[in-house]
Amino acid sequence: MLENVNGIVKVNQDDRYVVFLFDTYEMDRKMLQDKFVKGQSAWYTDARGIGDDGKAFYRIAKDGEWIEADYVNFIDRNE
């Protein structure tokens, strides 16, 4: 399931760590070994996807890089 959102995701990990990104939110996703974001960084997101396995992800790049929702706090910009 894919839904449009308008918000910011802030990485909830310590800034000494990085969180790797994925190529899609679907179950056949692959971790992008050379793409990651630092802990405590914030990113604009326009889409939230939930794979058939129930894992949620936010898209943080126009070319389709996704971060797992467990590692971020979502802030809705429409509120």
Side-chain angles (χ1 to χ4, degrees):
M1 179 179 91
L2 182 64
E3 67 177 304
N4 292 326
V5 296
N6 178 22
I8 302 292
V9 289
K10 183 173 181 187
V11 181
N12 59 23
Q13 301 297 303
D14 188 282
D15 63 1
R16 294 176 291 162
Y17 300 102
V18 296
V19 176
F20 285 93
L21 303 178
F22 291 83
D23 62 347
T24 183
Y25 66 91
E26 297 290 352
M27 280 184 49
D28 63 347
R29 70 185 79 86
K30 292 185 178 43
M31 183 186 293
L32 303 170
Q33 297 294 326
D34 60 340
K35 303 278 184 155
F36 53 86
V37 295
K38 282 192 67 138
Q40 297 299 307
S41 60
W43 303 87
Y44 171 74
T45 183
D46 66 348
R48 179 175 184 255
I50 300 175
D52 290 339
D53 59 356
K55 286 191 172 242
F57 291 80
Y58 288 97
R59 181 171 57 199
I60 63 169
K62 291 286 186 196
D63 55 352
E65 293 166 358
W66 297 80
I67 190 166
E68 194 170 348
D70 289 346
Y71 295 102
V72 298
N73 297 317
F74 176 74
I75 302 160
D76 192 340
R77 292 179 69 191
N78 291 327
E79 293 182 349

